[in-house]
Amino acid sequence: MDMEMNEADLRDRLADLGYGPDDDLSRLAYYSLPNLPMLDTPEGGQALSELVAYHAAALVVIDTTSRVIAGDENSADTFHRL
């Protein structure tokens, strides 16, 4: 879940990391600026759970967390809900 970069940024970043057209990224499920409910809500949790199940994901990376929560980013309750 990338809440910062657009597709052009992603291409540049992958090239900087040494990835190219011959690399197999077929197992990478990448969401750039996804339109999901806030993840510290039941609806957001359900939406993310469905994506994880759909892709059989073993790992989920969320960058940047503060952009996927509705509550105060400094509140323990916000992160408890997340």
Side-chain angles (χ1 to χ4, degrees):
M1 299 291 158
D2 187 343
M3 305 305 291
E4 295 182 337
M5 297 191 305
N6 60 35
E7 190 174 321
D9 294 329
L10 173 61
R11 277 194 301 273
D12 291 344
R13 182 70 50 90
L14 288 172
D16 290 345
L17 292 170
Y19 290 98
D22 295 329
D23 290 300
D24 180 11
L25 299 176
S26 63
R27 300 258 313 135
L28 175 65
Y30 186 89
Y31 286 81
S32 177
L33 305 169
N35 186 18
L36 294 174
M38 295 288 107
L39 298 184
D40 59 333
T41 66
E43 298 80 14
Q46 181 65 36
L48 182 59
S49 292
E50 290 172 6
L51 286 173
V52 168
Y54 177 78
H55 292 289
L59 173 70
V60 175
V61 176
I62 300 170
D63 181 28
T64 295
T65 306
S66 64
R67 293 188 180 183
V68 298
I69 56 175
D72 179 13
E73 68 180 281
N74 293 321
S75 170
D77 290 339
T78 299
F79 283 90
H80 177 75
R81 287 188 300 274
L82 179 59

